[in-house]
Amino acid sequence: MIEKIYIYHTNDVHSHFQYWPRIHEEVTRQRKLHAARQESMFVFDIGDHIDRVHPYTEGTLGKGNIDLLNAAGYDAVTIGNNEGITLPHEALDKLYENAQFDCVVANLFAEDGTRPNWAKPYQVFETDNHTKIGLIGVTINFQYFYEPLHWKVTDPFEALQHWVPIVKEQTDIVIILSHLGLSDDQRIAKEFPGVHLVLGGHTHHVLMNGELVEDCLLACTGKYGNFLGKVELHYDVEKRKMVEKKAILMETMQLPNTIGENQQLKAIAESGKQLLNKPIADLPYTLETDWYQDTELNQLLCSALTEWCQADCSFINAGLLVAGLEKGIVTEYDIHQICPHPINPCIIRLPGAVLKEVLAQTFNDPYISLQLKGFGFRGKVFGKMIYDQITFNGKGAAMEIYINGEAIDSKQLYTVATIDIFAFARFYPELTRSEKQFVVPEFMRDLLKWKLSNMFPLT
């Protein structure tokens, strides 16, 4: 007897809900069809479903996303870096407390090495024909962010080396939920014989019909809910053997409109707005921003960074602020709208000679008009570099740079505050190689709220 098993999957939705009503409707429809045919069906998410760029996710700290997954009948998820490192420790620890599905992640632990009660290294599902499916989840180990958030994340391949043999012993089919990226998914397929399917995420790769590597099928749906993945497994129950595997992607834009989907989306957005409708400051005048010029608002954010990090100086790109603030009451929602990025402050310690080289690079910045994508940036363009406690005199080789009014001492060690992007993305290579400390769980917008509430307090 050949049993057909159907798996539907999403990854890297990043709180882009524009097609979520259609995804919900489609998996609900398919569940009824498969049930009528007595076929087994499962639905999985491979992480980064949440993204605090959306006010609903920000206002609920991700729990609203869990409600959406519950309503759509998901069976299991793993976490991505957006679940893992953009939430405060307590918020992640409580994220799945009302989940009606399993969260499988084998390489995440509490600071003391114990496994949190909401995270399972694996889960076993059983079909109507008693075929056992073992599910193992792994997430990318951004330890520099997890550790200051009091989590311990380990090498995902070491976790797989431990758990794959155990799960293979208990089950007929082994599936990995991998929020690692395509190259690591390919590595899993090569290094772990007997893994039948890797459902991937993180690098937003689009595999329209999957990719077969060493008899292991890889599948991924890209990003933002643009596709819903469907995998069909044909399993010979008597011979206990997989006989066929195939994957397709369904473009969600082409799925039928759901009844009232616009109203659903508006309700989600309005709910987030209401949750963030908390006054934080009262501006006596409008604060404008400009991606290509210094303004009071972007200077204010940069000085807040210096103060918060107790640094000697700081620099940021003007594109962090996507809009200005109107005169009058400013709410958390307003701040979220103008600074939507899940970007943390970062403290970097540099000798004066290195700092001078880096600042000279930023001063002659080729990235000012770059339409930056990824790395947590949710704005439009990179923008001009904004400085606090840093001044320049002259140009080229003769240019002099001052920190707090004094010429840079090439031998002195300086504490510099900036954004996490510059510490891991190779805009300025010296920064990626230097001693650094990520400031978590605060985002740049939290510093802006703090500064505005102190400068323009509510009356």
Side-chain angles (χ1 to χ4, degrees):
M1 173 190 170
I2 304 299
E3 179 181 15
K4 293 183 179 180
I5 303 166
Y6 293 87
I7 295 168
Y8 295 82
H9 58 105
T10 52
N11 61 269
D12 297 277
V13 171
H14 284 280
S15 295
H16 283 246
F17 299 131
Q18 64 268 31
Y19 298 125
W20 189 257
R22 300 186 190 190
I23 292 173
H24 179 144
E25 188 77 12
E26 183 64 14
V27 296
T28 301
R29 186 180 74 86
Q30 293 288 353
R31 188 176 288 108
K32 292 176 182 177
L33 290 174
H34 293 306
R37 298 172 189 159
Q38 296 184 317
E39 297 166 339
S40 294
M41 169 186 162
F42 302 94
V43 189
F44 304 133
D45 184 78
I46 325 302
D48 278 5
H49 190 280
I50 80 167
D51 193 316
R52 291 176 62 182
V53 69
H54 196 288
Y56 184 61
T57 302
E58 177 77 352
T60 63
L61 286 178
K63 286 196 169 185
N65 295 65
I66 305 307
D67 291 340
L68 295 176
L69 291 164
N70 281 340
Y74 273 63
D75 296 290
V77 305
T78 195
I79 70 166
N81 44 289
N82 270 266
E83 286 86 7
I85 64 176
T86 70
L87 293 172
H89 180 98
E90 184 179 3
L92 175 57
D93 208 29
K94 293 183 177 181
L95 181 63
Y96 297 101
E97 62 184 1
N98 296 320
Q100 297 164 16
F101 49 82
D102 297 301
C103 180
V104 289
V105 53
N107 63 321
L108 179 75
F109 302 88
E111 198 171 36
D112 62 3
T114 60
R115 195 179 300 280
N117 57 15
W118 50 267
K120 301 179 179 181
Y122 72 95
Q123 181 60 289
V124 177
F125 296 93
E126 190 169 338
T127 71
D128 294 339
N129 289 304
H130 307 296
T131 300
K132 292 184 178 180
I133 300 172
L135 201 69
I136 307 171
V138 282
T139 195
I140 193 161
N141 56 334
F142 286 156
Q143 58 179 330
Y144 289 119
F145 286 93
Y146 276 103
E147 287 178 1
L149 285 167
H150 307 294
W151 295 110
K152 179 181 178 182
V153 64
T154 62
D155 186 308
F157 284 88
E158 290 181 4
L160 290 172
Q161 286 168 4
H162 176 79
W163 290 109
V164 168
I166 293 172
V167 173
K168 282 175 65 177
E169 188 70 25
Q170 299 178 31
T171 62
D172 304 295
I173 298 171
V174 179
I175 299 173
I176 309 297
L177 305 187
S178 162
H179 196 87
L180 302 180
L182 181 57
S183 60
D184 279 348
D185 294 350
Q186 293 165 336
R187 180 183 166 191
I188 291 171
K190 293 173 183 176
E191 293 188 8
F192 297 95
V195 170
H196 298 90
L197 173 65
V198 177
L199 300 176
H202 184 58
T203 49
H204 302 172
H205 45 284
V206 176
L207 302 176
M208 292 303 298
N209 296 107
E211 178 182 318
L212 199 61
V213 179
E214 303 288 341
D215 200 37
C216 176
L217 182 63
L218 312 183
C220 185
T221 69
K223 62 181 179 179
Y224 301 163
N226 292 328
F227 294 97
L228 172 64
K230 178 181 181 180
V231 174
E232 186 175 335
L233 304 177
H234 294 190
Y235 187 75
D236 190 319
V237 176
E238 284 80 18
K239 295 180 180 179
R240 317 308 293 175
K241 181 181 179 182
M242 186 74 67
V243 294
E244 187 177 1
K245 296 174 284 196
K246 52 187 177 182
I248 63 168
L249 295 184
M250 295 178 279
E251 190 172 4
T252 49
M253 184 173 65
Q254 301 300 327
L255 293 174
N257 289 0
T258 62
I259 297 174
E261 69 176 42
N262 289 334
Q263 288 79 4
Q264 292 177 51
L265 296 173
K266 287 179 181 178
I268 289 172
E270 185 59 30
S271 175
K273 183 176 181 179
Q274 290 302 316
L275 288 167
L276 297 176
N277 190 30
K278 300 171 184 175
I280 60 161
D282 188 358
L283 298 186
Y285 50 86
T286 295
L287 290 173
E288 297 180 348
T289 195
D290 190 311
W291 301 330
Y292 306 107
Q293 302 290 335
D294 291 83
T295 69
E296 182 177 351
L297 184 56
N298 55 39
Q299 284 291 164
L300 185 150
L301 177 58
C302 198
S303 65
L305 180 61
T306 308
E307 293 176 50
W308 187 271
C309 296
Q310 298 181 335
D312 296 311
C313 58
S314 64
F315 58 90
I316 60 174
N317 58 307
L320 284 177
L321 294 173
V322 300
L325 293 169
E326 296 294 327
K327 175 183 176 180
I329 298 297
V330 175
T331 67
E332 288 191 3
Y333 178 79
D334 297 324
I335 299 298
H336 182 270
Q337 291 301 288
I338 71 164
C339 193
H341 331 273
I343 290 176
N344 302 100
C346 180
I347 301 169
I348 302 178
R349 292 173 179 85
L350 296 170
V354 176
L355 176 57
K356 186 174 183 178
E357 178 184 340
V358 170
L359 291 176
Q361 291 172 5
T362 67
F363 187 77
N364 301 299
D365 207 321
Y367 306 118
I368 187 168
S369 297
L370 176 68
Q371 295 183 358
L372 181 59
K373 302 292 183 184
F375 305 112
F377 186 75
R378 304 293 188 255
K380 300 287 186 181
V381 298
F382 187 93
K384 179 186 185 294
M385 199 64 75
I386 307 299
Y387 304 95
D388 183 57
Q389 306 304 320
I390 300 169
T391 52
F392 300 85
N393 184 23
K395 294 182 179 180
M399 182 169 63
E400 297 178 332
I401 304 176
Y402 300 85
I403 307 297
N404 292 309
E406 296 184 2
I408 287 182
D409 182 339
S410 62
K411 296 181 180 180
Q412 182 177 332
L413 190 65
Y414 291 90
T415 300
V416 183
T418 187
I419 57 175
D420 60 21
I421 293 176
F422 297 153
F424 57 77
R426 295 189 176 275
F427 290 104
Y428 311 106
E430 288 293 344
L431 298 184
T432 66
R433 296 190 286 263
S434 299
E435 178 190 352
K436 59 187 71 71
Q437 174 189 345
F438 296 106
V439 179
V440 294
E442 292 83 9
F443 290 154
M444 290 299 294
R445 62 174 168 268
D446 294 312
L447 274 60
L448 183 58
K449 286 189 285 188
W450 167 74
K451 184 74 169 179
L452 287 172
S453 65
N454 283 310
M455 288 184 66
F456 309 105
L458 295 165
T459 57

